[in-house]
Amino acid sequence: MTSQRGIHRLLLQADAQDQASVWRGNDSSERCYYSFTIPSPVETSCPQLSGPELEGLKARLGVLEMLVSQLTGKNLQPPGGHQGGGDRAQAELQDALNRAVGEKSLLQGEIERLKREMKALQLRMEEMRRETDRLRNRPCPQMPAVPPSHPQRDRAPTRPFEDAAWQYQSPGFQELKAEVTEVPAPDSNQDNAGCGDLLSVGEPVTHRRADNIAGKYGVWMQDPEPVSPYGPKMVWRIDTVGTEVRQLFGYEDLEQLSKGFPSKVLLLPDPLESTGATLYRGSLYYQRRLSRTLIRYELAAEHVAARRELPHAGFHGQFPYSWGGYTDIDLAVDEKGLWAVYSTSKAKGAIVISLLDPLSLVVRRSWETNMRKSSVANSFVICGKMYTVASYSATDSTINFVYDTETSQGKAVSIPFKNKYRYNSMIDYSLAQRKLFAWDNFHIVSYDIRMGHKLASRRKRDI
């Protein structure tokens, strides 16, 4: 009653001034509320909030926002959860961020490398353009006049066959006896079309040094039977240091390899393992990383034409050469075809040689030797004979063993062989050049070879 009398008194005062207004109604709970407005008897207008009042209002609003944030944070936590869940989520996010940053750095490095290669290719194109202009403007050389031949003067004199034994002795019956001797082939290697025994290996000739650590080990090769669009002078190179070795660099010839100007770069679909790759009839043959799978990759079509496991072959460090490098499977090409040099558990680490079908990679025939693979530094195959090298690091080493697949017999030999840079990770016979190709501690080198042929010389004996 007291509150009602007070309200009534205020309304009477307001009515006296004819400026009061009142409203009465129920709220949502059906409770009666009175609301009214009365003008201030003193202030003609409401003053603006002063500085301290405004700052206080802002502070109260800030505290309210902080409380709301805390309450929202608590509601986001799972029921019964602990702070550890948030820590794990934060750690996972940080790992993802670190991976993204690492991938960005790798991509940036790859972009820089591609830019450098593109610049080198542009320089090479400019050099070729200048060379073309120079050759186009050069006059053709004049051929010297050939004097006419005189038929009587150019005719070789004809003389009867003369031999001291026939001239000074009676022409009685004589026997010609065949005697077989070894005659070395000429140093020019032009007479090596036939097969024979390896007699000697020349001094190493250096063609190029690798640019970075990826080229400490590698393989380089030429196709003895190239397929268009690649010609017989094309040289290929793979740097084999790394876990994802996929790049195959092609050079127009040996000179461009020495200058470091590739004309073709292919990206292999599967990563390559170690230095055992080879080229044959337009295809790259190599071992897939972390497996005994062999792959035939066609260069012209740029796709995998065949893949097959090499039965029971050791891989990824089971039966490597003595220098290591996951050299469990070593592929080779010679006059007889495509070969694989490896070992198996059944052979207990001894070298196994298999002749492969170059199209399907099926094993046609195999030979098991008595030479342990881990006891030799490397091997190569010439004319169906496998030769092994004793050391990869000794400057003056030897070729110490040969196995002939024709006779299924092996024997010890001693042919001097030099490791000029003291870490030879790849030695292969190049059928295209009839030389040995090698990769010795960042250096791409080659060796001339001499082969021995079985020739018959005649000796006469009187009867």
Side-chain angles (χ1 to χ4, degrees):
M1 294 295 294
T2 302
S3 60
Q4 291 180 356
R5 286 196 296 270
I7 293 172
H8 182 67
R9 190 183 306 114
L10 289 172
L11 291 174
L12 289 176
Q13 293 177 357
D15 288 339
Q17 300 177 4
D18 296 327
Q19 296 177 352
S21 62
V22 65
W23 177 87
R24 186 181 68 171
N26 295 330
D27 62 1
S28 60
S29 61
E30 298 300 327
R31 186 177 180 181
C32 180
Y33 276 87
Y34 291 88
S35 62
F36 53 89
T37 58
I38 301 175
S40 172
V42 179
E43 300 170 325
T44 58
S45 63
C46 294
Q48 297 293 329
L49 290 175
S50 62
E53 292 175 338
L54 182 61
E55 293 300 323
L57 179 60
K58 289 182 179 179
R60 287 193 295 276
L61 287 174
V63 172
L64 179 62
E65 290 175 351
M66 181 181 67
L67 292 174
V68 171
S69 299
Q70 290 178 354
L71 291 173
T72 304
K74 290 180 181 179
N75 291 334
L76 289 176
Q77 287 187 358
H82 300 284
Q83 188 65 26
D87 293 341
R88 285 193 300 272
Q90 184 175 3
E92 291 176 357
L93 290 174
Q94 187 64 39
D95 290 341
L97 178 60
N98 293 337
R99 287 195 300 271
V101 171
E103 291 175 358
K104 179 181 178 182
S105 300
L106 291 175
L107 290 174
Q108 190 65 33
E110 186 69 12
I111 290 172
E112 294 298 327
R113 185 187 62 76
L114 291 175
K115 286 182 178 179
R116 291 194 299 271
E117 291 184 358
M118 180 63 70
K119 185 176 180 181
L121 288 174
Q122 290 174 349
L123 292 175
R124 172 57 184 155
M125 291 175 62
E126 184 63 29
E127 180 183 344
M128 293 175 65
R129 190 178 297 111
R130 289 195 300 268
E131 181 68 14
T132 302
D133 294 338
R134 185 183 67 81
L135 293 175
R136 186 182 295 114
N137 297 327
R138 187 176 65 179
C140 295
Q142 298 294 328
M143 297 298 294
V146 179
S149 60
H150 194 283
Q152 295 297 329
R153 182 183 59 194
D154 295 341
R155 183 179 300 169
T158 58
R159 297 172 56 188
F161 174 75
E162 295 181 358
D163 188 287
W166 292 90
Q167 184 175 0
Y168 297 110
Q169 297 180 12
S170 61
F173 177 75
Q174 294 182 336
E175 179 187 9
L176 297 180
K177 182 179 180 180
E179 192 173 81
V180 178
T181 59
E182 277 192 356
V183 179
D187 290 340
S188 62
N189 292 320
Q190 297 301 315
D191 193 32
N192 281 353
C195 283
D197 294 322
L198 179 65
L199 297 182
S200 65
V201 177
E203 294 289 325
V205 177
T206 303
H207 301 283
R208 179 170 175 80
R209 189 185 191 279
D211 299 322
N212 50 52
I213 188 62
K216 179 175 176 62
Y217 316 133
V219 55
W220 71 291
M221 51 210 153
Q222 276 188 289
D223 192 341
E225 300 179 27
V227 174
S228 180
Y230 305 112
K233 293 184 178 180
M234 195 80 176
V235 183
W236 300 86
R237 184 198 101 228
I238 304 175
D239 298 335
T240 59
V241 175
T243 57
E244 289 291 320
V245 179
R246 294 176 182 265
Q247 288 184 323
L248 174 63
F249 297 92
Y251 302 84
E252 291 180 355
D253 51 35
L254 191 56
E255 180 182 359
Q256 299 309 312
L257 171 67
S258 65
K259 292 180 179 179
F261 295 148
S263 60
K264 185 70 175 180
V265 181
L266 297 177
L267 188 64
L268 302 177
D270 297 273
L272 174 145
E273 184 95 301
S274 198
T275 61
T278 191
L279 276 174
Y280 190 45
R281 296 178 179 175
S283 293
L284 173 73
Y285 297 84
Y286 69 97
Q287 173 195 356
R288 190 186 187 282
R289 184 173 181 267
L290 295 174
S291 75
R292 59 173 62 93
T293 300
L294 303 182
I295 293 176
R296 179 168 76 89
Y297 178 78
E298 289 187 354
L299 302 181
E302 298 184 18
H303 76 93
V304 173
R307 66 172 70 226
R308 185 179 298 273
E309 283 197 352
L310 185 59
H312 312 296
F315 64 94
H316 204 65
Q318 290 180 296
F319 304 110
Y321 291 126
S322 60
W323 74 270
Y326 304 126
T327 51
D328 300 75
I329 299 176
D330 193 5
L331 301 176
V333 168
D334 74 343
E335 293 80 357
K336 307 290 185 179
L338 177 65
W339 301 88
V341 179
Y342 59 104
S343 188
T344 65
S345 298
K346 181 180 178 181
K348 299 180 181 179
I351 293 178
V352 177
I353 311 168
S354 289
L355 184 63
L356 307 179
D357 184 283
L359 294 179
S360 65
L361 302 176
V362 171
V363 174
R364 290 177 173 174
R365 187 179 174 186
S366 295
W367 294 261
E368 184 176 323
T369 74
N370 59 359
M371 174 64 72
R372 294 188 61 82
K373 193 165 183 290
S374 61
S375 68
V376 298
N378 224 305
S379 73
F380 53 91
V381 183
I382 306 178
C383 297
K385 298 176 182 178
M386 183 204 66
Y387 297 85
T388 64
V389 180
S391 173
Y392 63 91
S393 58
T395 302
D396 296 311
S397 183
T398 59
I399 296 169
N400 61 348
F401 179 79
V402 58
Y403 186 90
D404 189 351
T405 58
E406 189 72 23
T407 62
S408 300
Q409 296 294 323
K411 65 178 180 179
V413 294
S414 182
I415 303 172
F417 183 89
K418 289 188 177 295
N419 297 305
K420 183 176 181 179
Y421 302 101
R422 300 180 64 86
Y423 209 105
N424 220 326
S425 59
M426 165 252 173
I427 305 171
D428 281 338
Y429 171 60
S430 171
L431 178 59
Q433 294 289 330
R434 302 194 184 278
K435 297 183 178 184
L436 294 183
F437 283 5
W439 197 294
D440 190 357
N441 201 10
F442 293 96
H443 295 83
I444 296 173
V445 299
S446 65
Y447 301 80
D448 287 334
I449 59 175
R450 290 199 309 158
M451 303 295 294
H453 299 282
K454 300 294 185 180
L455 300 178
S457 64
R458 296 189 303 176
R459 187 183 67 183
K460 291 174 295 186
R461 187 181 63 170
D462 293 338
I463 300 297

